[in-house]
Amino acid sequence: MKLENLTTESLTGLPYADVFKAETERLLKCGMKNPVMVSVDISNFKYFNQMYGYDEGDVLIKKYAKVYCHDNKECVLAFRIYVDHIILLLDVEDEDMSSIEIRYDELNRKFSASVNEEYPLARVRAYMGIYIIEDVNENITKMIDRAQYARRSIKINYTQTVAMFTQGMAEHTEEEAGIIPMFFSALENDRVKVYIQPKFSIEEQKLIGGEALSRIMDKDGNIVPPKAYIDILESTGLISKLDYYVILKVIEIQKNWMEKGYELTTISMNLSRKDFWEPQFIKAIDECIVKSGVPTKYFEFELTETLFCENYVTVISQLDYLRKRGYKISMDDFGSGYNSLYMLGKVPVDIIKFDRGFVLNSLGVESGRKILKNLMNTFTDIEFDVICEGIENREEEKIVHDCGCNAVQGYLYDMPLPYDKFEDKYMTETMGAQ
Ligand code: C2E
Ligand code: MG
Ligand code: MG
C-alpha cells in the first residue's frame, strides 16, 4: 500500500475516513484492474482488551493493520472504520480474481490462529465481507455498506470467514437503510411501544407472568413487527438501545402497577448478545430496578442460545450476578437453532423456554413426543422450570401437558397486547388493597 502525502492516524498508519473516500473515488476514476471493497472485523476484540489490557489491544490492532493493509500487495488503500474494524480497497490481478475467496479465507484463518496462539484466552476470529465493484461511479459509502453487510451475514457463522456480497443481499441493504432512520425517529417520538403477552399455567388456568415484546409504529401509525427490525438492529449494534428502552419502560410499568396496588406478576424482557459487551449495561438496569422499589423477582431476562457461543466467561459472570440479585433468567427459543445441549449443565439459567418448533415437531409423531417428554423430565430433574411458547390450540396444549409441562405462552390464551390493555385484562388488586 502506498500512502504518499496522505494524513494518517498514528496507531495503524492508515488514512482517515474522508481521505479514504476521496482517494477511492479518484483511484476508481483513474482506472483499476479489478477493484474490490472489503470489510474486516475481529470478533471478541472487546474481550481481548478485557483479558490482556488496552496496550496489548493496540499491539494487536497494529499487527492487524500490517497484515491486512501494509503487507498486503493487493491492498491499495484502507481505513479503520471502528476500533477493530477495517475497510480495504483492493486491486486484484485478473488471474487472482477467481481465487479471492479461498485466498482471503486462508489469510483470515492464519491471522486468527497466530493471534490465538500468542494470546490463548482471547479466541479472536477475523472474518470479512467482499464486494466486487462493478460500477465505479457507484457511491463509495454504498460500496462500503455492501462489504459490511456481507461480513455481518457470517457474524455468528463460525465455520465461514469470508462472505461474498450477492444480489440477494442488495435488497436487504436497501431495506436496512430504511429501518435505521425509522428506528431513531420512533425512539425520539415515543413510537416504540411495549406489548405484553401473558404466560399461563395449564392446570390452574392462571396467569403466571408476561413477556414484554417491542413494536415500532411507523409515521403513519402502522405497526412494524419485530421480524422487520430485530436482525437489522442486532447486526448494526443498535439492539442495545432498543433493549434499554424496553427495559426502562417495563420498570416504569411495574412501578406504576405496584403504586396502584395490583398483585404484581413477573415480566420477562429479551436481552441480546450485544447487551453483555458493555459490563455497565447490566449494572445500570439493576440500579434502575432497585431505584424503582419493585422487588427483583418480578423481572426476568430471556436470552437466546447463541449468546452462549461467544464471550462465554463474561456472559456467565453477568448472569450469575443477576441471579444472585434475585432476577430470573430464561433460555429463549430452546431447540430452534444452535443447540448446545452439553452447555445446559453449566449455564446459569432458571427456565427453559421451548420453541414452537419443538411442539410442531411433536404433533402426530411419537418419536418427537418422546424426545420432548424426556427432555422436559431431564430439565425438571435438574431443577429448571420449563415453559412452551407458541401454543395455538388445545391439541398442542395437551401434547405439552402430557409431556410434563404446565406453563404455556401462545395465541391460545392471548396475543401480545399493548401494556395498558394487558393491565385492563389481567392485573387485579391485591387483597386488602382499596
Ligand atoms: P421471542 O422472544 O421468542 O417472542 C415470542 C414470539 O412468538 C413473539 O413474536 C410472539 O408474538 C410470538 N408468538 C406468541 N404466541 C405465538 C403463537 O401462538 N404462535 C406463533 N406462531 N407465534 C407466537 P414477536 O413479538 O414477533 O417477536 C419476535 C422476536 O423478536 C421475539 O421472539 C424476540 O426474540 C424478538 N424481540 C421482540 N422484541 C424485542 C426486544 O425488545 N428486544 C430484543 N432483543 N428482542 C426482541
Ligand atoms: Mg423471548
Ligand atoms: Mg421465544
Side-chain angles (χ1 to χ4, degrees), residues 5-24:
N5 307 325
L6 297 182
T7 334
T8 58
E9 56 157 342
S10 61
L11 181 65
T12 58
L14 298 177
Y16 293 101
D18 49 344
V19 177
F20 174 91
K21 286 183 188 163
E23 262 301 284
T24 299

mmCIF file of all heavy atoms in Angstrom, residues 5-24:
data_model
loop_
_atom_site.group_PDB
_atom_site.id
_atom_site.type_symbol
_atom_site.label_atom_id
_atom_site.label_comp_id
_atom_site.label_asym_id
_atom_site.label_seq_id
_atom_site.Cartn_x
_atom_site.Cartn_y
_atom_site.Cartn_z
ATOM 1 N N ASN A 5 1.802 11.288 0.837
ATOM 2 C CA ASN A 5 1.096 12.563 1.038
ATOM 3 C C ASN A 5 -0.282 12.468 1.687
ATOM 4 O O ASN A 5 -1.048 13.412 1.658
ATOM 5 C CB ASN A 5 0.923 13.330 -0.289
ATOM 6 C CG ASN A 5 2.250 13.499 -0.986
ATOM 7 O OD1 ASN A 5 3.273 13.673 -0.315
ATOM 8 N ND2 ASN A 5 2.238 13.427 -2.303
ATOM 9 N N LEU A 6 -0.640 11.311 2.231
ATOM 10 C CA LEU A 6 -1.951 11.234 2.877
ATOM 11 C C LEU A 6 -1.779 11.353 4.392
ATOM 12 O O LEU A 6 -0.848 10.799 4.956
ATOM 13 C CB LEU A 6 -2.650 9.905 2.562
ATOM 14 C CG LEU A 6 -2.992 9.627 1.101
ATOM 15 C CD1 LEU A 6 -3.723 8.286 0.984
ATOM 16 C CD2 LEU A 6 -3.884 10.724 0.525
ATOM 17 N N THR A 7 -2.707 12.069 5.033
ATOM 18 C CA THR A 7 -2.652 12.169 6.500
ATOM 19 C C THR A 7 -3.132 10.844 7.075
ATOM 20 O O THR A 7 -4.179 10.330 6.656
ATOM 21 C CB THR A 7 -3.616 13.273 6.999
ATOM 22 O OG1 THR A 7 -3.786 14.207 5.973
ATOM 23 C CG2 THR A 7 -3.134 13.888 8.276
ATOM 24 N N THR A 8 -2.384 10.337 8.037
ATOM 25 C CA THR A 8 -2.762 9.024 8.573
ATOM 26 C C THR A 8 -2.879 9.060 10.099
ATOM 27 O O THR A 8 -2.288 9.902 10.753
ATOM 28 C CB THR A 8 -1.710 7.955 8.202
ATOM 29 O OG1 THR A 8 -0.448 8.377 8.717
ATOM 30 C CG2 THR A 8 -1.619 7.729 6.713
ATOM 31 N N GLU A 9 -3.627 8.106 10.652
ATOM 32 C CA GLU A 9 -3.738 8.032 12.121
ATOM 33 C C GLU A 9 -2.499 7.326 12.659
ATOM 34 O O GLU A 9 -1.922 6.458 11.995
ATOM 35 C CB GLU A 9 -5.025 7.334 12.551
ATOM 36 C CG GLU A 9 -5.215 5.939 11.996
ATOM 37 C CD GLU A 9 -6.159 5.095 12.832
ATOM 38 O OE1 GLU A 9 -6.414 5.441 13.991
ATOM 39 O OE2 GLU A 9 -6.611 4.056 12.339
ATOM 40 N N SER A 10 -2.104 7.676 13.898
ATOM 41 C CA SER A 10 -0.799 7.211 14.363
ATOM 42 C C SER A 10 -0.763 5.709 14.677
ATOM 43 O O SER A 10 0.206 5.039 14.366
ATOM 44 C CB SER A 10 -0.352 8.028 15.567
ATOM 45 O OG SER A 10 -1.295 7.852 16.594
ATOM 46 N N LEU A 11 -1.825 5.161 15.256
ATOM 47 C CA LEU A 11 -1.760 3.757 15.674
ATOM 48 C C LEU A 11 -1.556 2.799 14.500
ATOM 49 O O LEU A 11 -0.691 1.931 14.528
ATOM 50 C CB LEU A 11 -3.025 3.370 16.457
ATOM 51 C CG LEU A 11 -3.058 1.931 16.961
ATOM 52 C CD1 LEU A 11 -1.969 1.688 17.992
ATOM 53 C CD2 LEU A 11 -4.416 1.584 17.562
ATOM 54 N N THR A 12 -2.358 2.967 13.462
ATOM 55 C CA THR A 12 -2.309 1.995 12.363
ATOM 56 C C THR A 12 -1.555 2.503 11.135
ATOM 57 O O THR A 12 -1.228 1.732 10.247
ATOM 58 C CB THR A 12 -3.742 1.670 11.889
ATOM 59 O OG1 THR A 12 -4.353 2.910 11.491
ATOM 60 C CG2 THR A 12 -4.549 1.010 12.979
ATOM 61 N N GLY A 13 -1.311 3.815 11.069
ATOM 62 C CA GLY A 13 -0.692 4.383 9.875
ATOM 63 C C GLY A 13 -1.648 4.367 8.687
ATOM 64 O O GLY A 13 -1.236 4.417 7.526
ATOM 65 N N LEU A 14 -2.944 4.317 8.963
ATOM 66 C CA LEU A 14 -3.935 4.305 7.875
ATOM 67 C C LEU A 14 -4.604 5.674 7.770
ATOM 68 O O LEU A 14 -4.747 6.370 8.773
ATOM 69 C CB LEU A 14 -5.008 3.249 8.153
ATOM 70 C CG LEU A 14 -4.536 1.794 8.225
ATOM 71 C CD1 LEU A 14 -5.702 0.877 8.576
ATOM 72 C CD2 LEU A 14 -3.920 1.354 6.902
ATOM 73 N N PRO A 15 -5.038 6.042 6.558
ATOM 74 C CA PRO A 15 -5.700 7.341 6.422
ATOM 75 C C PRO A 15 -7.060 7.376 7.108
ATOM 76 O O PRO A 15 -7.608 6.343 7.468
ATOM 77 C CB PRO A 15 -5.868 7.489 4.912
ATOM 78 C CG PRO A 15 -5.750 6.137 4.354
ATOM 79 C CD PRO A 15 -4.897 5.340 5.283
ATOM 80 N N TYR A 16 -7.606 8.578 7.280
ATOM 81 C CA TYR A 16 -8.926 8.746 7.891
ATOM 82 C C TYR A 16 -10.024 8.508 6.853
ATOM 83 O O TYR A 16 -9.774 8.510 5.645
ATOM 84 C CB TYR A 16 -9.051 10.147 8.484
ATOM 85 C CG TYR A 16 -8.125 10.360 9.651
ATOM 86 C CD1 TYR A 16 -6.930 11.062 9.510
ATOM 87 C CD2 TYR A 16 -8.437 9.827 10.905
ATOM 88 C CE1 TYR A 16 -6.073 11.240 10.583
ATOM 89 C CE2 TYR A 16 -7.583 9.996 11.987
ATOM 90 C CZ TYR A 16 -6.406 10.704 11.824
ATOM 91 O OH TYR A 16 -5.570 10.867 12.874
ATOM 92 N N ALA A 17 -11.259 8.360 7.367
ATOM 93 C CA ALA A 17 -12.390 8.006 6.518
ATOM 94 C C ALA A 17 -12.578 8.940 5.316
ATOM 95 O O ALA A 17 -12.717 8.485 4.175
ATOM 96 C CB ALA A 17 -13.662 7.987 7.349
ATOM 97 N N ASP A 18 -12.569 10.261 5.585
ATOM 98 C CA ASP A 18 -12.859 11.187 4.481
ATOM 99 C C ASP A 18 -11.772 11.125 3.405
ATOM 100 O O ASP A 18 -12.060 11.186 2.209
ATOM 101 C CB ASP A 18 -13.037 12.623 5.003
ATOM 102 C CG ASP A 18 -11.911 13.051 5.926
ATOM 103 O OD1 ASP A 18 -11.164 12.169 6.401
ATOM 104 O OD2 ASP A 18 -11.758 14.268 6.163
ATOM 105 N N VAL A 19 -10.507 10.933 3.842
ATOM 106 C CA VAL A 19 -9.399 10.820 2.889
ATOM 107 C C VAL A 19 -9.568 9.544 2.062
ATOM 108 O O VAL A 19 -9.403 9.539 0.840
ATOM 109 C CB VAL A 19 -8.036 10.775 3.640
ATOM 110 C CG1 VAL A 19 -6.884 10.596 2.682
ATOM 111 C CG2 VAL A 19 -7.869 12.023 4.493
ATOM 112 N N PHE A 20 -9.941 8.467 2.755
ATOM 113 C CA PHE A 20 -10.136 7.184 2.076
ATOM 114 C C PHE A 20 -11.188 7.326 0.981
ATOM 115 O O PHE A 20 -10.994 6.903 -0.147
ATOM 116 C CB PHE A 20 -10.571 6.119 3.098
ATOM 117 C CG PHE A 20 -10.926 4.786 2.477
ATOM 118 C CD1 PHE A 20 -9.947 3.802 2.313
ATOM 119 C CD2 PHE A 20 -12.221 4.508 2.041
ATOM 120 C CE1 PHE A 20 -10.264 2.570 1.733
ATOM 121 C CE2 PHE A 20 -12.545 3.290 1.460
ATOM 122 C CZ PHE A 20 -11.566 2.318 1.311
ATOM 123 N N LYS A 21 -12.301 7.960 1.350
ATOM 124 C CA LYS A 21 -13.405 8.062 0.388
ATOM 125 C C LYS A 21 -13.000 8.888 -0.824
ATOM 126 O O LYS A 21 -13.231 8.494 -1.978
ATOM 127 C CB LYS A 21 -14.651 8.633 1.061
ATOM 128 C CG LYS A 21 -15.300 7.593 1.968
ATOM 129 C CD LYS A 21 -16.574 8.095 2.604
ATOM 130 C CE LYS A 21 -17.067 7.099 3.637
ATOM 131 N NZ LYS A 21 -18.037 7.629 4.561
ATOM 132 N N ALA A 22 -12.359 10.027 -0.575
ATOM 133 C CA ALA A 22 -11.963 10.908 -1.684
ATOM 134 C C ALA A 22 -10.922 10.218 -2.577
ATOM 135 O O ALA A 22 -11.024 10.256 -3.803
ATOM 136 C CB ALA A 22 -11.398 12.213 -1.124
ATOM 137 N N GLU A 23 -9.947 9.556 -1.945
ATOM 138 C CA GLU A 23 -8.895 8.857 -2.696
ATOM 139 C C GLU A 23 -9.472 7.694 -3.499
ATOM 140 O O GLU A 23 -9.080 7.455 -4.639
ATOM 141 C CB GLU A 23 -7.835 8.309 -1.717
ATOM 142 C CG GLU A 23 -6.609 9.164 -1.570
ATOM 143 C CD GLU A 23 -5.866 9.396 -2.872
ATOM 144 O OE1 GLU A 23 -5.162 8.490 -3.349
ATOM 145 O OE2 GLU A 23 -6.031 10.520 -3.402
ATOM 146 N N THR A 24 -10.401 6.951 -2.875
ATOM 147 C CA THR A 24 -11.009 5.814 -3.575
ATOM 148 C C THR A 24 -11.719 6.309 -4.833
ATOM 149 O O THR A 24 -11.584 5.732 -5.920
ATOM 150 C CB THR A 24 -12.015 5.084 -2.642
ATOM 151 O OG1 THR A 24 -11.303 4.612 -1.525
ATOM 152 C CG2 THR A 24 -12.686 3.919 -3.330
#
